Amino acid sequence: MAFVLSDQIMWHEGEISMQQKLHVPYQENPTSPFLTPYAARLLPNAPLLALGTLDSAGRPWTTILGGEAGFVRPLGQSNIGIKTLIDPTYDPVINILLHHDDHSGQQKKDRPIAGLGIDLETRSRVKLAGKFIAGALGGVLTTAGAKATEAQIVLKVEQSLVSSSLPLPVEAIDLLAKADIFFITTSHGGSTMGTNNRGGCPGFCRIMKNDHSGTILLYPEYSGNRLYQTLGNLQTTPKAGIAIPDFDSGDVLYLTGTTEILVGQEAAALLPRSNLAVKVRVHEACLIHNSLAFKGQSGEPSPYNPPVRFLATERAISADAQNMNHSVVYAKLIQKELLTEDIGRFRFSVSDPEAAGRWKPGQYVALAFDDELGAGYSHMRDDDPSSLNDDLVRSFTVSSSLRGGLPTDEFDITIRNLGKVTAFLFRQNVRAGLEVPLKGFSGSFEIHQSEGEIVPFVAGGVGITPLLAQLPDLDLGRLRVFWTMRITDIGLALDTFERYPPLAGSTLLYCSGYVNAAVRGQQPQTMPRLKQSGAHVFLRRLGASDIQERKDLSTTWYLCAGSRLRQAIVSWLPDRKGFFQSSFDVDRNRSIV
């Protein structure tokens, strides 16, 4: 099979529109009208080629070919030749190019086609666009009881159709959940085309809807070269063909549908923390078992991948918190108090309390630090790759109560210094008057006490913060707090008990690292005061027996801890009827329900 590269070097109106919409300075289109020496060198060394074309209805489709370097080679005069194993039965692109999807019986010459040669290990890639010239099938081979066809394209017949209907079956949903890359084909007016890849952490492509009324996917657009060729095509021709591979099993989910580009508030409303996203309404899909001619092994994930951005309907920052209104509300730092070497309480005042809305106990506040810490645009940032797609929006559990005596326009957060944003806050001088945009308050971690029950709450370190905001509304006599921390954190415990003395009598405090600190002569001088607070202090870690022996407690446990402690607690209480779990996101300093 071969195709010749097309001649298009000027930006089209869709690309220009996207670049202007996203305030990208003008640059020349780097597209070459011929096969460059760089592309000619890269293609034979690329083990994968994503290939896309249009069916007779003008819908894009994408497939994935290859497995070993050398299956694609330049033929001269900007012609490309491909010889590889393929799926001859179900592969939508192969069917269009070689099996004549218009039922004419004739291959359609000059059919627009696009390709992406890529080496996932080195992340080298080259994009191609041109016209389909010809493809040929040959004789029949028999291998291990299966028939295959060999010629210019060698065929294997080992595939099976899992599903070709909507909504997506469970197998397709599972594939999407583990997928960290897909390949997408778009076109401009059905004449010129482009194939590209999108990737992220597993599950970066979210399922907004999947029922008999329709299937809709949503994925974020991360920082790239800012050419916006794929989005430019979608701007003029909102159709996309996507192939989502499972390199472990060889399965591929093929789909085609219409698209909608979401920018700014529209993106953040559906996919919080996103400024740019694409919604795909799936019109047709097929999941093919063993469709790839090869299997893959997982390599080192890209350091540029940001954490998965969940839908507003999932557990991420809600649409209200991310984008609550069209005005800008600021939070001003007015007080800072260090409780330990790396834990502090920070008080903020709100510039427009009415616009911000009143927070509720158990909620978090979302603050934006891009103006203070953003480094501007960069295509790559090898010195700090995790910052490239970091929106610098952070969420912190509000630790002050509504009845704690603060003015209605003030709130506290109690946080640990553990990342770029928290380190920035710990360095601040209150007199500098730091103000950051306040995105809003959201979340829900409300503790309920049923009549006659003693409610257990497990906290790890600063995981105590959701409880602090709710203390005035709780009967502390019917509350048991299992609080585990490092010995270096007891300043937080002492401050908490001095501010809320009745809480001490309901708390079992487990402090690890005391023996080591004593050996080093670093045992805290405040330990006698802590023991005098009335709390039950244990100089060891929280253990399974501490939890399992408490038969007098409610069957509903409230947890706010890191993933390791949370998993341990759940495993220690397999016979409990239910949990109200909240993991503590140490990167965001907030609880996640």
Side-chain angles (χ1 to χ4, degrees):
M1 179 167 59
F3 61 93
V4 61
L5 298 183
S6 62
D7 182 4
Q8 182 189 9
I9 59 173
M10 302 299 294
W11 298 119
H12 63 65
E13 64 270 24
E15 295 165 329
I16 294 173
S17 173
M18 286 305 306
Q19 292 166 6
Q20 292 177 344
K21 186 177 296 186
L22 296 169
H23 309 290
V24 177
Y26 178 79
Q27 57 183 317
E28 296 291 336
N29 191 333
T31 305
S32 172
F34 54 85
L35 186 65
T36 65
Y38 170 79
R41 288 195 306 270
L42 189 145
L43 279 172
N45 296 308
L48 294 181
L49 178 71
L51 199 64
T53 192
L54 303 176
D55 62 17
S56 57
R59 303 179 305 177
W61 291 91
T62 307
T63 191
I64 306 164
L65 305 178
E68 292 185 1
F71 76 98
V72 183
R73 64 188 189 279
L75 301 180
Q77 296 183 345
S78 292
N79 290 352
I80 302 297
I82 304 170
K83 185 175 182 179
T84 186
L85 293 170
I86 61 169
D87 170 0
T89 307
Y90 301 112
D91 188 310
V93 172
I94 296 303
N95 275 295
I96 292 168
L97 297 179
L98 303 183
H99 293 178
H100 330 300
D101 75 314
D102 58 0
H103 308 293
S104 66
Q106 299 293 323
Q107 291 183 8
K108 182 180 178 182
K109 293 184 179 181
D110 295 332
R111 183 189 292 273
I113 199 168
L116 177 74
I118 188 169
D119 185 335
L120 296 177
E121 187 172 2
T122 64
R123 302 184 180 95
S124 300
R125 65 178 192 164
V126 59
K127 293 172 64 178
L128 308 168
K131 307 290 184 182
F132 173 72
I133 297 176
L137 305 179
V140 175
L141 301 176
T142 302
T143 333
K147 291 184 177 181
T149 308
E150 185 182 44
Q152 180 64 23
I153 298 177
V154 182
L155 308 182
K156 64 168 188 171
V157 187
E158 299 173 350
Q159 300 76 29
S160 62
L161 177 65
V162 177
S163 173
S164 61
S165 61
L166 295 174
L168 296 175
V170 173
E171 295 91 336
I173 295 173
D174 292 342
L175 191 156
L176 274 166
K178 68 178 292 190
D180 59 4
I181 191 172
F182 66 70
F183 299 90
I184 179 170
T185 295
T186 59
S187 72
H188 170 52
S191 56
T192 59
M193 301 192 66
T195 296
N196 215 329
N197 68 294
R198 293 294 184 265
C201 290
F204 76 98
C205 182
R206 311 306 296 167
I207 301 175
M208 286 186 62
K209 180 181 181 181
N210 185 46
D211 54 35
H212 290 288
S213 66
T215 297
I216 300 176
L217 308 181
L218 184 68
Y219 69 88
E221 285 281 339
Y222 298 139
S223 177
N225 56 22
R226 299 207 295 182
L227 300 181
Y228 297 116
Q229 293 173 308
T230 298
L231 294 185
N233 285 347
L234 295 180
Q235 185 80 355
T236 62
T237 312
K239 299 178 181 180
I242 296 176
I244 307 171
D246 182 342
F247 292 121
D248 295 327
S249 67
D251 299 349
V252 179
L253 175 61
Y254 301 97
L255 58 89
T256 188
T258 53
T259 62
E260 180 183 356
I261 301 171
L262 306 174
V263 180
Q265 294 177 352
E266 288 185 339
L270 296 179
L271 198 64
R273 301 189 188 281
S274 298
N275 185 56
L276 189 60
V278 176
K279 184 194 298 185
V280 182
R281 182 176 293 275
V282 180
H283 292 177
E284 186 175 337
C286 56
L287 176 62
I288 309 302
H289 174 63
N290 208 26
S291 186
L292 295 177
F294 55 89
K295 300 291 176 64
Q297 294 181 341
S298 298
E300 190 71 21
S302 171
Y304 289 93
N305 288 340
V308 172
R309 296 174 183 174
F310 294 93
L311 298 172
T313 53
E314 297 176 299
R315 64 172 184 168
I317 293 180
S318 71
D320 289 339
Q322 177 71 4
N323 184 29
M324 59 185 179
N325 53 43
H326 298 281
S327 62
V328 179
V329 178
Y330 287 94
K332 181 179 180 179
L333 180 63
I334 59 174
Q335 184 176 317
K336 179 177 74 171
E337 183 178 0
L338 297 183
L339 307 179
T340 72
E341 289 185 357
D342 62 352
I343 298 176
R345 181 167 50 245
F346 297 79
R347 181 164 298 169
F348 291 86
S349 63
V350 181
S351 64
D352 189 344
E354 184 176 350
R358 192 65 166 135
W359 53 272
K360 300 177 182 178
Q363 288 193 316
Y364 57 82
V365 61
L367 303 175
F369 292 85
D370 185 64
D371 292 342
E372 303 294 332
L373 298 175
Y377 169 74
S378 176
H379 183 200
M380 304 293 281
R381 197 174 292 153
D382 292 336
D383 60 327
D384 188 12
S386 63
S387 69
L388 189 64
N389 291 297
D390 187 352
D391 61 1
L392 295 172
V393 173
R394 296 294 187 268
S395 49
F396 306 97
T397 302
V398 177
S399 58
S400 53
S401 68
L402 292 174
R403 292 193 284 159
L406 289 183
T408 57
D409 63 343
E410 294 181 8
F411 65 89
D412 289 345
I413 59 174
T414 304
I415 60 177
R416 187 185 298 277
N417 184 358
L418 46 74
K420 176 190 296 185
V421 170
T422 50
F424 171 75
L425 285 174
F426 272 75
R427 292 194 304 266
Q428 288 301 301
N429 186 324
V430 174
R431 290 177 295 180
L434 172 69
E435 288 187 312
V436 295
L438 190 156
K439 293 291 187 178
F441 299 96
S442 191
S444 175
F445 186 14
E446 187 176 354
I447 300 171
H448 297 278
Q449 291 180 305
S450 299
E451 186 67 29
E453 287 190 331
I454 301 176
V455 174
F457 181 96
V458 181
V462 290
I464 196 70
T465 51
L467 175 64
L468 300 183
Q470 303 179 60
L471 287 178
D473 303 315
L474 298 175
D475 179 356
L476 299 187
R478 293 191 295 112
L479 179 71
R480 291 296 177 271
V481 179
F482 298 80
W483 192 1
T484 179
M485 63 173 58
R486 301 181 307 216
I487 193 68
T488 53
D489 291 345
I490 66 170
L492 171 63
L494 189 61
D495 174 82
T496 299
F497 296 146
E498 289 178 347
R499 290 164 62 89
Y500 307 100
L503 179 63
S506 300
T507 300
L508 294 87
L509 185 65
Y510 299 84
C511 302
S512 62
Y514 181 81
V515 174
N516 292 335
V519 170
R520 296 192 301 268
Q522 297 175 344
Q523 59 267 49
Q525 300 299 315
T526 53
M527 181 59 73
R529 289 171 54 199
L530 185 63
K531 292 182 177 180
Q532 294 170 5
S533 68
H536 305 275
V537 181
F538 302 88
L539 301 180
R540 59 174 174 82
R541 295 180 182 274
L542 176 69
S545 61
D546 297 313
I547 300 294
Q548 294 171 340
E549 293 175 358
R550 299 304 301 260
K551 306 299 184 182
D552 58 326
L553 303 180
S554 168
T555 55
T556 299
W557 286 65
Y558 292 82
L559 314 178
C560 187
S563 58
R564 185 176 299 179
L565 177 58
R566 185 179 73 253
Q567 292 169 5
I569 297 295
V570 173
S571 68
W572 295 343
L573 297 171
D575 57 337
R576 290 297 190 264
K577 294 180 182 178
F579 295 91
F580 189 93
Q581 297 184 39
S582 174
S583 67
F584 192 76
D585 184 343
V586 295
D587 291 326
R588 305 295 185 189
N589 275 281
R590 71 171 172 88
S591 57
I592 304 176
V593 176

